[in-house]
Every structure is written in structure tokens, then in C-alpha cells.
Amino acid sequence: MSDKRKVIIDTDTAADDTIAILTALHYFQVEGVMITGGNVQFDQQVENALYTIQVAGKSGQVPVYKGYERPLMSIGEQEHRTVEDVHGKDGMGDSFFDKAVQAPEKGHAVDFLIDAVHRNPGEIHLIAIAPLTNIAMALKKDPTIAPKIPHLYIMGGTNNALGNITPSAEYNFYVDPEAARIVLHSGIPITMVGWEMCTQYSIMDDADHEEIEALGTKGSKFFQDVNRVVMRFNKSVHRLNGTTHPDTLLAAVAADEKIMTKSNLYHVDVETAGELTRGYSVVDINNRLERPRNVRVCEAIDRSAFKDMLFEVLKAIN
Ligand code: CA
């Protein structure tokens, strides 16, 4: 029996999600991976998750479940906004890897999550690195799972900072703000790592990429491949000098909370109706709304400790 903590990952697997999955596979006992609609075309995301597990040498050991392909409030086949411009057509830096050997499971992600939580009450932590559609739907289908989930780590939103998909909103909350609202008010203890933590602490610049390349492992090669497009995108659109790793940062915080050097409990909610601000996360730092403090918000990271963790993961995959 592994003494590692158990986690389930909910992901819209593209680029940084893959490195977050590798990070979780390294530090946790991953019970399963759930796919939710987000970054790129849904079946491509499923394939990306399966391929990532293969890169880690764990094909057949970690089940991958398909979840909801579209946000809660979408109508019919209405598509949400995908971001092939950020991560490449395949979401993997235009690497177009071979098809993975593992196939996805037959059951629905939401049923897998509900069943896993009931079979392991108080034991399964959740790592949410995608729009929160699957987790919201699981909570709707069976609200009794909430008190059995010890902690939910969310990459999403911003803490009074610039968004990435619109000026006001971070992508995961923007795609499905209703789902985010349901999850934030679920009563599950939550840690949120927002986009501004990513831009302040997770960027890997050209020099970092040279160090990573010098590791010379299968993991470091994979990292270079999947980040090829986002490097160009960040430089031209976000004026950020390097690749961004929000999902990996979140997975690292979940694995070792000590790298989070500052955090506070705040009331956090999500705008669902704003004309210009749909998906904006309200973080009530001064408690002006006088509502319950439902989310621990990450406010600073030990950047070099995070980088060490990332390097440890990439070195171990050979
Ligand atoms: Ca993601």
C-alpha cells in the first residue's frame, strides 16, 4: 500500500495540464483522471491525458473518465471558447503525438467521482485544473459527497488581478462561471490558486527552459514539446517572457503546502451575469460583503521551491 495521499484530478488536458498530471502522479496516489470540456476539442483532451499517463510509465494504472463536454448553461451543441491559439491545435504544442495505448473508461466521470468519494470517505483530495463543470454536476447529483471530501484545490479565478481570457476573467471560471459558483459554495474546504499567482511565480523563461532541456530526460523533452506554442503566445499576447504553469503550480501546492508562503481565508464568489465581467472572481479581502470566508486564497509562493519540485518531477521521468 502506498502511503501517498489519494487524489482525483479534473482536467481539460492540454499543455500545462499534462505537467500538472505528471506532478500529481509523482507526489500522490492518483485514483483517477476526469476530463471536462475546456482548452481544446474534447476527445483530443482525453487522448492528451492518456498519453501523459503513458509518458509517466503508468499506462493501465490510472483510469481516465470522460465527463461533461460543455458548460452547465450551454444549449445543445453550442460550443464554449477553446484556446488552440494558446496551446496548439492538439493542445500539446502541435506535437501530434502517437495515439496512447490506454483507452478511456466506459463510465461517466461524475459517477466515478461520487463512487470513489463514498468508498474512501475523507481520503480523496481533488485537484481541479479545468472549468468546474464535472465537480459541480457531481455535487448536484449527490450533495452527500461534499462532507467526505477533505480538500479541493482549484486553479481558477484571480485575486483582484488581470484575467487571461478577458481582462476580468481567468479561463476556467470564465468557461463555466455557474459551475464555479456551485463549487465555491459547496462547503468543501477549498484552496484557490489564481492566475496572478501563475504570472508572478510559475513562469519559466528561456534560461529556465535551457536548464530543463539540460536535464536530458524523457520528462524534460516532453515538457519542451508541449510548451512550444504557449511560449510564443505568451510573449506576443500576454507580454510574459516565458511559459506559464498555473495547473502545475496548483498541483505542487496540493503536494506540499509549504511552498505556499502566504494565504488567507476570504469570501470568494463568481460573477455570472456581468456585461463585461462574466467569470470574474470576487475576492472580498476587506470583508465588505460580510459573508462567510469560504476559500483559502494563495497569495505568495516560494518560487525556487516550486521550481525544485517541477525539476524533480521531470528528472524522475526517464
Ligand atoms: Ca487546465
Side-chain angles (χ1 to χ4, degrees):
M1 273 292 284
S2 165
D3 57 0
K4 292 178 176 175
R5 278 184 293 156
K6 294 176 182 172
V7 294
I8 289 174
I9 306 169
D10 193 75
T11 163
D12 54 341
T13 314
D16 183 47
D17 290 78
T18 66
I19 309 303
I21 292 171
L22 295 179
T23 302
L25 288 169
H26 185 82
Y27 291 107
F28 291 100
Q29 180 181 327
V30 179
E31 297 285 303
V33 172
M34 308 173 11
I35 310 295
T36 200
N39 281 320
V40 295
Q41 199 269 331
F42 188 81
D43 289 332
Q44 180 69 56
Q45 296 181 155
V46 176
E47 193 55 36
N48 293 348
L50 293 165
Y51 188 82
T52 302
I53 291 167
Q54 187 169 322
V55 167
K58 298 198 171 171
S59 283
Q61 297 171 39
V62 181
V64 172
Y65 291 87
K66 297 184 186 182
Y68 285 92
E69 297 189 27
R70 297 183 180 84
L72 292 189
M73 301 300 282
S74 57
I75 296 166
E77 300 294 298
Q78 182 187 335
E79 295 291 341
H80 63 277
R81 184 160 162 194
T82 54
V83 286
E84 283 82 357
D85 53 338
V86 184
H87 301 300
K89 280 191 194 65
D90 60 352
M92 303 288 262
D94 287 334
S95 298
F96 304 107
F97 294 116
D98 292 341
K99 193 170 168 51
V101 294
Q102 186 182 332
E105 305 302 308
K106 291 205 165 54
H108 195 282
V110 160
D111 297 318
F112 161 70
L113 175 61
I114 291 170
D115 183 53
V117 169
H118 284 306
R119 278 189 291 105
N120 304 271
E123 286 184 23
I124 295 187
H125 296 66
L126 298 185
I127 293 182
I129 51 175
L132 288 157
T133 319
N134 284 339
I135 296 173
M137 288 300 285
L139 287 162
K140 282 286 180 193
K141 186 168 186 183
D142 184 355
T144 69
I145 61 171
K148 296 182 179 179
I149 297 170
H151 210 91
L152 163 60
Y153 296 88
I154 297 176
M155 190 285 129
T158 57
N159 178 2
N160 296 283
L162 192 66
N164 54 7
I165 189 75
T166 69
S168 49
E170 175 282 329
Y171 181 77
N172 289 341
F173 282 16
Y174 172 83
V175 167
D176 202 342
E178 285 80 11
R181 178 170 252 193
I182 289 166
V183 171
L184 292 176
H185 294 293
S186 65
I188 302 169
I190 293 171
T191 296
M192 168 179 143
V193 174
W195 174 247
E196 83 289 347
M197 288 294 99
C198 160
T199 56
Q200 286 176 48
Y201 299 106
S202 84
I203 289 177
M204 296 293 146
D205 64 14
D206 291 332
D208 295 319
H209 277 258
E210 279 174 28
E211 277 184 62
I212 289 168
E213 193 177 358
L215 296 174
T217 61
K218 192 168 108 184
S220 74
K221 171 74 167 62
F222 181 70
F223 181 93
Q224 301 288 306
D225 286 343
V226 298
N227 280 296
R228 205 177 297 124
V229 173
V230 74
M231 176 68 99
R232 289 200 299 269
F233 181 87
N234 280 347
K235 285 181 178 176
S236 67
V237 175
H238 287 310
R239 291 182 288 161
L240 294 170
N241 186 31
T243 53
T244 34
H245 303 278
D247 298 348
T248 306
L249 186 61
L250 190 268
V253 165
D256 183 1
E257 292 195 354
K258 287 197 298 299
I259 73 166
M260 185 167 60
T261 50
K262 186 183 174 202
S263 65
N264 273 294
L265 264 183
Y266 297 123
H267 177 76
V268 181
D269 208 336
V270 181
E271 178 59 74
T272 57
E275 183 188 354
L276 300 172
T277 55
R278 183 167 157 82
Y280 173 72
S281 51
V282 175
V283 179
D284 189 5
I285 289 178
N286 292 330
N287 198 26
R288 296 292 289 152
L289 298 171
E290 297 183 351
R291 290 183 188 155
R293 296 169 187 265
N294 53 337
V295 177
R296 178 175 59 165
V297 178
C298 176
E299 296 184 307
I301 293 283
D302 179 342
R303 204 262 175 189
S304 91
F306 166 63
K307 189 174 161 182
D308 287 347
M309 289 177 78
L310 171 63
F311 276 46
E312 185 185 318
V313 171
L314 299 179
K315 269 191 274 189
I317 297 166
N318 215 343

